[in-house]
Amino acid sequence: KGKRAFIAGVADDNGYGWAIAKSLAAAGAEILLGTWVPALNIFESSLRRGKFDESRVLPDGSLMQITKVYPLDAVFDNLEDVPADIKANKRYAGSSKWTVQEVAESVKEDFGSIDILVHSLANGPEVTKPLLETSRKGYLAALSASSYSYVSLLKHFLPILNPGGSSLSLTYIASERIIPGYGGGMSSAKAALESDTRVLAFEAGRKRKVRVNTISAGPLRSRAAKAIGFIDMMIDYSIANAPLQKELSAEEVGNAAAFLVSPLASAITGTVLYVDNGLNAMGVGV
Ligand code: NAD
């Protein structure tokens, strides 16, 4: 029987989440998406108007089907967490049930269970500031949106993740090596995410036989990456210095994700898998 995947963090056709959705769809999975509330309207209307049709084409020529798009804001676990100004915000008031707990409940109501959970989201309001200039508020916001959001998603989806299922997030090497420009506590957030991958692998493995891994991806010109401001330089740097001298495509990360959540990876859990043309293995630039 086909597997069902919930992918959090898709709001256009440029990012890793979209590419992962495509690779999973190509492998026969049913696709559910979680889309950030403020980006929901434009994403859904673009989908409806056919703006993404070209990027929906799968290797067999068919179009990726998205069974349902759920509004999601992964910095809120439940309604009690939502402050008044967000509740009153027009874009938020136009949707409902977008806290993590409510989305998990809705997916359970609609489909009963899932097999694959993907976290492909991050946010750091002060990402362009060096760590020494990052405020406490900005640092904690980066951790909330980029690290705890994963703990929360897995916690709330674990009861409906079928045993043998698998969960995945996206990380970046700035967690373990100095990448000037990846600021605002985002490097710290990725370090937390990678450490949590190990602890969550233990807990979810013992509790539900669910695997937990993260992909350390190379640079991609996504919407989020363009906001950081140094993405073109990082892509050029990788092409100049990585063992494989080519631009990384989102599809390559999507395919690695499809492997990691498949039975081919049934003994792999708690790992950080580099999908970066090998750049992580270099000791010096050349
Ligand atoms: P992207 O813009 O496609 O994805 C980020 C998504 O996060 C967006 O859809 C955004 O709407 C969503 N989001 C932000 N805050 C949210 C919230 N509170 N609740 C729900 N959704 C929220 O960009 P991407 O680069 O593909 O990012 C996906 C993942 O890949 C991130 O974890 C990112 O750190 C990681 N990554 C990216 C690169 C890169 O170079 N692009 C490299 C390594 C890792």
Side-chain angles (χ1 to χ4, degrees):
K1 111 187 191 309
K3 292 188 175 168
R4 185 177 298 119
F6 181 87
I7 302 161
V10 179
D12 60 40
D13 59 349
N14 293 318
Y16 283 133
W18 176 271
I20 292 169
K22 276 182 75 175
S23 291
L24 298 185
E30 176 176 22
I31 304 300
L32 315 177
L33 300 181
T35 299
W36 196 26
V37 184
L40 182 74
N41 272 346
I42 179 137
F43 179 63
E44 285 200 303
S45 68
S46 301
L47 257 183
R48 258 196 320 272
R49 292 198 332 260
K51 212 189 134 207
F52 299 136
D53 282 1
E54 234 171 273
S55 2
R56 281 172 61 205
V57 179
L58 300 176
D60 71 357
S62 68
L63 293 192
M64 166 169 67
Q65 297 303 313
I66 297 167
T67 304
K68 189 160 178 180
V69 179
Y70 293 85
L72 167 69
D73 195 320
V75 304
F76 302 114
D77 300 318
N78 50 53
L79 268 180
E80 286 114 74
D81 282 356
V82 183
D85 60 319
I86 298 273
K87 270 189 190 135
N89 183 301
K90 241 211 225 138
R91 287 190 290 187
Y92 281 81
S95 306
S96 60
K97 297 192 178 172
W98 39 258
T99 67
V100 175
Q101 186 186 324
E102 292 171 296
V103 174
E105 282 166 3
S106 299
V107 171
K108 182 180 181 183
E109 240 174 70
D110 294 343
F111 299 98
S113 68
I114 63 170
D115 304 285
I116 298 163
L117 174 68
V118 178
H119 173 282
S120 182
L121 64 96
N123 205 359
E126 298 181 16
V127 64
T128 57
K129 288 189 190 164
L131 191 52
L132 273 176
E133 284 159 36
T134 297
S135 71
R136 182 182 301 268
K137 197 172 165 221
Y139 183 98
L140 293 176
L143 269 284
S144 174
S146 314
S147 316
Y148 190 77
S149 58
Y150 184 56
V151 177
S152 180
L153 270 171
L154 187 56
K155 168 184 170 160
H156 288 97
F157 276 88
L158 195 58
I160 62 162
L161 254 172
N162 291 321
S166 182
S167 174
L168 194 72
S169 66
L170 274 298
T171 187
Y172 185 49
I173 196 168
S175 59
E176 44 172 330
R177 302 271 187 260
I178 302 162
I179 309 279
Y182 197 73
M186 279 306 301
S187 57
S188 331
K190 292 306 192 188
L193 182 67
E194 290 172 26
S195 180
D196 294 345
T197 297
R198 293 180 281 273
V199 177
L200 294 170
F202 173 74
E203 296 180 3
R206 292 296 177 92
K207 211 172 184 169
R208 295 276 301 170
K209 296 185 167 62
V210 163
R211 297 183 295 107
V212 179
N213 293 291
T214 188
I215 289 178
S216 185
L220 173 76
R221 215 176 269 100
S222 64
R223 189 189 166 97
K226 280 192 261 180
I228 303 172
F230 68 176
I231 188 65
D232 291 314
M233 192 191 98
M234 297 316 285
I235 291 171
D236 292 344
Y237 181 89
S238 182
I239 294 170
N241 294 289
L244 301 175
Q245 294 193 282
K246 59 180 172 62
E247 188 162 339
L248 180 69
S249 74
E251 188 185 355
E252 292 174 293
V253 170
N255 289 341
F259 157 72
L260 268 182
V261 302
S262 81
L264 294 173
S266 58
I268 303 178
T269 193
T271 65
V272 179
L273 179 69
Y274 296 95
V275 184
D276 66 347
N277 286 320
L279 185 65
N280 71 91
M282 296 299 294
V284 292
V286 288

